[in-house]
Amino acid sequence: QCLRQRNDEGGGPLMLAAVGQLQFEVVEARLENEYGVESQLESLTYNLARWVDGGWDAVDKADADGKLFGIMVVQDRWKRPVL
């Protein structure tokens, strides 16, 4: 799963979400072997992602209520919110 910061139309850093370390290694190997591209993966401290049923309105409300402390809010390729 590829994730980006909210409202990022493709100019910012791409975040790759995967089930385990092996998936990251497979992506890295395929980028190099199939496309000749070097990549650099940097780990984040997060280990769980959840899509928000209520959309961006629910995210904004939770944020306004102070419920998103220490939570990274990003979007998937369909611009759906992911926490």
Side-chain angles (χ1 to χ4, degrees):
Q1 191 64 245
C2 295
L3 306 171
R4 293 190 181 275
Q5 293 293 328
R6 185 176 184 175
N7 298 320
D8 181 351
E9 298 297 327
L14 183 65
M15 290 169 266
L16 180 63
V19 175
Q21 182 63 34
L22 179 60
Q23 286 185 323
F24 292 117
E25 293 169 9
V26 168
V27 168
E28 209 168 22
R30 290 188 66 188
L31 285 171
E32 184 175 342
N33 296 325
E34 295 177 26
Y35 300 98
V37 176
E38 289 186 30
S39 61
Q40 180 179 353
L41 297 178
E42 298 177 15
S43 297
L44 297 174
T45 59
Y46 302 96
N47 58 21
L48 182 70
R50 292 289 183 250
W51 278 258
V52 179
D53 286 335
W56 288 108
D57 290 338
V59 171
D60 293 339
K61 182 176 181 338
D63 190 31
D65 293 343
K67 296 179 179 178
L68 297 181
F69 180 76
I71 296 176
M72 179 182 279
V73 180
V74 294
Q75 65 185 17
D76 65 11
R77 63 191 249 183
W78 296 281
K79 300 190 182 347
R80 298 177 300 186
V82 180
L83 305 178

